[in-house]
């Protein structure tokens, strides 16, 4: 985060001669309301847009913002960025119009539902010198950032295997299957830890609630140099579990987002010794890893504002989104080949 301005104060319209960027949030639904709250807390919310004028008016009144339609927001020179929190099948059209209008854009995941459209948006943002940021929220979670630093610092040795579960009996969306709705977060984290895209992607799914719409999916990813990853996502599961495990030659780490903050990241400094040709586990007690506490969504919103203000490239920019989307596309193709709509 740049120290050019304090983006934590709700009344911070100008700090040190630098104005806080102003954003309009389109969509007041289950996730849009959280984005509205956070951008308002950061002193950046200018306007709210929703297909229901009454809903938009209620949020605008609560957070001291204006109600606008989309055309008016694009034409408003006081608005620097557009925050898109609507169904994925309209992301492309909304984001493209915003970029063409010269607005910085934050889009909830996935960037689009088609790879060619995502490529077009990434290229358009670069051509116009605008920030295009995708809401891969876990990249901004302080615990994941600490885990990634452990990997980069060699605390786990050579990374060999990662698996991630995102499971719940929860929200079931209409415009996407579980792969597209849930897996982008986990794919983004896995690619970040591996520092590469996979050579191979295999996907398996099942349709329990609606014919031909996968509500569970398992991905197997093979990376250059033989590291492996597995991702399991489901919205038809008896309990909630958001867990990522990273296994290296010198240690193992667990990011369990269902635990209390102090227990979210555990380091297991396990090792192996050899008795002739037989590997013998050398087990060690789990160590809590201290992580400064912060709300991931607020950190993500703060990062978007900082990128607008400083011209920095978002951590989860259009190119990062493309890497995630290429994995999703390969997984979708594999599901389709197995007779399940990807």
């Amino acid at each position: 985060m740049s120290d050019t301005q304090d983006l934590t104060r709700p009344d911070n319209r100008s700090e040190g001669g630098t104005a806080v960027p102003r954003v309009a949030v389109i969509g007041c639904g289950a996730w849009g309301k959280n984005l509205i709250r956070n951008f308002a807390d950061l002193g950046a919310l200018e306007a709210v847009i929703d297909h229901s004028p009454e809903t938009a008016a209620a949020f605008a009144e609560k957070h001291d913002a204006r109600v606008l339609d989309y055309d008016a927001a694009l034409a408003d020179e006081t608005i620097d960025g557009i925050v898109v929190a609507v169904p994925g099948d309209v992301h492309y059209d909304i984001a493209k119009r915003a970029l063409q209008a010269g607005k910085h854009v934050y889009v909830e995941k996935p960037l689009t539902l088609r790879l060619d459209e995502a490529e077009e948006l990434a290229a358009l943002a670069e051509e116009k010198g605008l920030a295009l940021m995708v809401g891969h929220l876990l990249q901004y979670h302080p615990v994941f950032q600490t885990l990634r630093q452990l990997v980069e610092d060699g605390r786990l040795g050579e990374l060999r295997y990662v698996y991630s579960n995102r499971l719940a009996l929860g929200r079931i969306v209409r415009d996407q299957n579980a792969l597209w709705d849930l897996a982008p977060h986990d794919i983004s984290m896995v690619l970040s830890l591996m520092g590469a895209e996979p050579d191979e992607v295999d996907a398996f799914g099942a349709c329990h609630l609606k014919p031909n719409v996968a509500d569970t999916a398992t991905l197997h990813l093979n990376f250059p140099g033989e590291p492996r990853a597995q991702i399991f996502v489901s919205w038809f599961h008896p309990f909630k579990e958001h867990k990522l495990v990273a296994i290296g030659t010198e240690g193992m780490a667990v990011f369990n987002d269902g635990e209390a903050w102090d227990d979210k990241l555990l380091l297991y400094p396990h090792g192996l010794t050899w008795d002739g040709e037989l590997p013998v586990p050398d087990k060690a007690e789990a160590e809590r890893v201290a992580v400064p506490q912060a709300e991931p969504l607020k950190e993500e919103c703060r990062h978007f504002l900082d990128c607008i203000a400083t011209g920095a490239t978002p951590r989860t920019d259009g190119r990062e989104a493309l890497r995630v989307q290429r994995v999703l596309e390969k997984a979708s193709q594999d599901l389709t080949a197995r007779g399940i709509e990807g």
Side-chain angles (χ1 to χ4, degrees):
M1 170 69 189
S2 168
D3 60 2
T4 57
Q5 55 184 307
D6 176 5
L7 297 177
T8 65
R9 292 166 46 193
D11 61 346
N12 180 35
R13 301 291 175 107
S14 179
E15 183 78 19
T18 302
V20 175
R22 311 295 290 168
V23 302
V25 178
I26 175 170
C28 301
W31 198 245
K33 65 182 182 182
N34 296 322
L35 290 162
I36 289 170
R37 171 178 57 83
N38 276 281
F39 281 113
D41 287 348
L42 293 168
L45 183 66
E46 181 65 30
V48 176
I49 306 164
D50 194 81
H51 62 84
S52 167
E54 294 80 9
T55 300
F59 278 98
E61 181 179 3
K62 180 178 180 179
H63 296 289
D64 190 25
R66 294 186 286 153
V67 176
L68 293 176
D69 63 31
Y70 193 47
D71 289 334
L74 295 184
D76 194 321
E77 294 184 357
T78 68
I79 294 175
D80 303 292
I82 299 293
V83 177
V84 182
V86 295
D89 57 351
V90 294
H91 283 183
Y92 168 72
D93 291 331
I94 291 174
K96 182 176 180 179
R97 288 187 61 200
L99 292 170
Q100 290 173 330
K103 307 296 186 185
H104 302 274
V105 178
Y106 169 108
V107 184
E108 261 311 314
K109 56 81 187 166
L111 177 54
T112 69
L113 299 184
R114 288 178 45 178
L115 184 59
D116 59 339
E117 293 178 345
E119 291 171 341
E120 182 183 347
L121 292 180
L124 180 60
E126 292 175 357
E127 174 189 331
K128 290 185 169 292
L130 296 167
L132 174 61
M133 179 168 151
V134 182
H136 293 153
L137 176 64
L138 277 301
Q139 289 273 7
Y140 302 91
H141 198 303
V143 174
F144 176 72
Q145 292 176 347
T146 302
L147 170 58
R148 185 175 58 192
Q149 194 62 53
L150 289 177
V151 172
E152 292 176 356
D153 291 346
R155 293 287 301 277
L156 305 186
E158 186 178 351
L159 198 60
R160 304 308 302 155
Y161 179 60
V162 175
Y163 77 81
S164 186
N165 292 343
R166 188 162 303 276
L167 315 169
L169 182 62
R171 185 178 71 100
I172 300 169
V173 300
R174 295 174 302 164
D175 62 316
Q176 301 166 30
N177 58 25
L179 170 68
W180 284 86
D181 184 53
L182 300 176
H185 289 307
D186 305 274
I187 295 170
S188 178
M189 288 191 292
V190 168
L191 298 188
S192 178
L193 291 176
M194 293 294 189
E197 293 186 52
D199 293 326
E200 300 177 19
V201 177
D202 295 311
F204 306 86
C207 310
H208 301 288
L209 303 177
K210 185 177 179 181
N212 215 34
V213 176
D215 38 58
T216 68
T218 303
L219 281 66
H220 295 277
L221 312 179
N222 297 337
F223 289 86
E226 296 188 353
R228 302 286 189 265
Q230 176 180 298
I231 295 170
F232 176 36
V233 296
S234 174
W235 57 40
F236 188 47
H237 196 268
F239 57 86
K240 184 175 181 178
E241 180 177 277
H242 294 170
K243 182 186 292 185
L244 183 145
V245 177
I247 298 171
T249 56
E250 304 296 330
M252 306 172 184
V254 179
F255 169 20
N256 188 344
D257 208 15
E259 294 289 344
W261 190 271
D262 289 344
D263 293 317
K264 284 185 184 293
L265 183 58
L266 299 179
L267 175 64
Y268 292 82
H270 298 326
L272 285 175
T273 57
W274 291 84
D275 183 3
E277 296 183 355
L278 179 67
V280 179
D282 182 13
K283 296 182 180 180
E285 292 295 321
E287 302 173 4
R288 287 174 170 166
V289 180
V291 180
Q293 188 165 353
E295 182 182 354
L297 185 56
K298 182 161 287 185
E299 295 305 301
E300 184 177 50
C301 294
R302 194 196 313 275
H303 183 71
F304 180 56
L305 297 176
D306 191 55
C307 289
I308 294 175
T310 66
T313 300
R315 183 177 305 131
T316 53
D317 67 346
R319 294 298 165 187
E320 193 269 346
L322 283 175
R323 292 190 286 273
V324 172
Q325 194 138 346
R326 280 193 285 268
V327 174
L328 286 167
E329 288 275 348
K330 291 177 181 178
S332 291
Q333 292 167 5
D334 204 35
L335 285 179
T336 300
R338 299 177 193 278
I340 298 174
E341 182 178 341

